[in-house]
């Protein structure tokens, strides 16, 4: 009897009346929200406007989902178009099957469209969202746990994953939880990119390239452990070759980009700095008006607080004025008297 293992859920969907609530879909949705939230914080810190990341994600996310599904269907076409299979299942994305390679590739196309509409450089946007994408992948992998899919070889380690389903060729038993391995690796990738970006001020797409390279390094060994059916080339799974190729391309990009375009972009979103300056000026003006009003109130309060002895009554003011007029009239008479005597 096994003393410890990770149990699989008995089912991956809960029905709320006629509405199915699927664990796989929830994991993806939560991942998208985390990616947008973290990307927005990083974008604002780089000098961009709040909300820009979400606006561009409206383009990137649908493209990414379509790309991920296309990659999966193309590389595992026999699951949908071979004898005895129903091609309609290719559209049932909620049953699992998203290839990260296609999701990133076509998602980048969607992001490019969104960035172009806003006049924003795509590399700067990619750098901002890179750690968030890694965290989204970490959360999304738990969707495989709900569907009891993409596990590794048989094992008896205490953290083994229990597979109970026997559909689609599954054999119940204890297996390596590759979904968990990849999820933890993606969290490490996100932390690595955040640290490296702060330490080395990475720009022009190099933070995103670091995310790609680090993810591919982990995906290579995780993919090597999996036992689900896959196409093999020279003894390696197709995704192993893909991870190796993309890793090399990412490393080359980092090296070449650092030589040609060192440092970071000075401006990531045109007009964002002007908006901040205008807001700062408005705040200063409001503070100045408030200070002037406060001074006026203080002056009025001081006048009201003066002792009565310091404030001349109206009658005393009138007497002083009459006295002054009498003295003015007296001066000509004195001058005339002096002239007569002289």
């Amino acid at each position: 009897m096994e003393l410890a293992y990770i149990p699989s859920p008995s089912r991956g969907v809960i029905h709320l009346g006629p509405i199915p609530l699927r664990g796989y879909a929830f994991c993806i949705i939560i991942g998208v929200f985390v990616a947008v939230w973290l990307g927005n914080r990083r974008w604002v810190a780089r000098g961009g406007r709040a909300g820009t990341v979400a606006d561009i994600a409206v383009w990137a996310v649908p493209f990414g989902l379509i790309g991920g599904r296309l990659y999966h269907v193309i590389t595992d076409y026999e699951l949908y178009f071979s004898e005895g299979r129903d091609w309609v299942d290719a559209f049932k994305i909620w049953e699992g099957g998203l290839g990260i390679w296609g999701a990133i590739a076509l998602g980048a196309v969607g992001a490019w469209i969104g960035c172009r509409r806003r006049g924003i450089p795509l590399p700067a946007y990619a750098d901002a969202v890179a750690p968030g994408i890694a965290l989204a992948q970490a959360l999304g992998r738990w969707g495989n746990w709900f569907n009891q899919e993409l596990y590794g070889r048989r094992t008896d380690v205490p953290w083994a994953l229990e597979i109970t389903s026997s559909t689609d060729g599954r054999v119940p038993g204890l297996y390596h939880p590759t979904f968990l391995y990849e999820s933890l690796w993606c969290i490490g990738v996100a932390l690595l990119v955040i640290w490296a970006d702060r330490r080395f001020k990475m720009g022009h797409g190099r933070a995103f390239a670091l995310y790609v390279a680090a993810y591919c390094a982990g995906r290579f060994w995780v993919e090597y452990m999996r036992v689900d059916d896959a196409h093999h080339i020279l003894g390696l799974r197709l995704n192993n070759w893909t991870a190796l190729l993309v890793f090399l391309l990412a490393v080359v990009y980092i090296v070449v980009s650092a030589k040609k375009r060192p440092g970071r972009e000075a401006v990531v979103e045109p007009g964002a700095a002007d908006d901040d300056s205008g807001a700062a000026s408005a705040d200063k003006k409001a503070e100045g008006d408030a200070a002037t009003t406060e001074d006026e109130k203080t002056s009025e309060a001081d006048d009201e607080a003066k002792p009565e002895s310091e404030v001349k009554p109206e009658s005393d003011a009138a007497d002083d004025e009459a006295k002054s007029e009498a003295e003015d009239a007296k001066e000509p008479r004195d001058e005339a008297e002096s002239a007569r005597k002289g």
Side-chain angles (χ1 to χ4, degrees), residues 221-235:
W221 66 266
V222 170
E223 188 73 24
Y224 190 75
M225 297 181 65
R226 282 168 47 173
V227 295
D228 53 301
D229 293 333
H231 296 285
H232 287 72
I233 302 174
L234 299 177

Side-chain angles (χ1 to χ4, degrees), residues 46-48 121 124 204 262-269 273:
R46 287 287 302 276
H204 301 286
R264 277 182 171 177
E265 298 88 344
V267 178
V268 296
E269 185 168 4

Side-chain angles (χ1 to χ4, degrees), residues 185 188-190 192-193 208-219 221 247 250:
W185 183 269
V189 170
L192 171 65
V193 174
F208 183 82
L210 175 62
Y211 143 73
V212 172
Y215 171 74
C216 289
R219 179 61 184 268
W221 66 266
F247 171 82

Side-chain angles (χ1 to χ4, degrees), residues 54-117:
D55 292 342
I56 297 176
V58 172
W59 288 90
V61 172
F63 273 73
L65 291 175
I66 294 172
R69 188 60 175 177
L70 282 175
Y71 181 89
H72 168 72
V73 171
I74 292 173
T75 55
D76 293 305
Y77 61 89
E78 65 278 358
L79 298 177
Y80 308 100
F81 302 105
S82 60
E83 186 177 355
R85 298 285 185 169
D86 187 359
W87 63 271
V88 177
D89 292 341
F91 297 95
K92 297 179 180 179
I93 191 173
W94 54 86
E95 293 183 354
L98 288 174
I100 186 60
W101 317 111
I104 294 297
L106 208 56
V109 174
W112 174 79
I113 295 174
C115 288
R116 186 176 178 83
R117 290 167 60 89

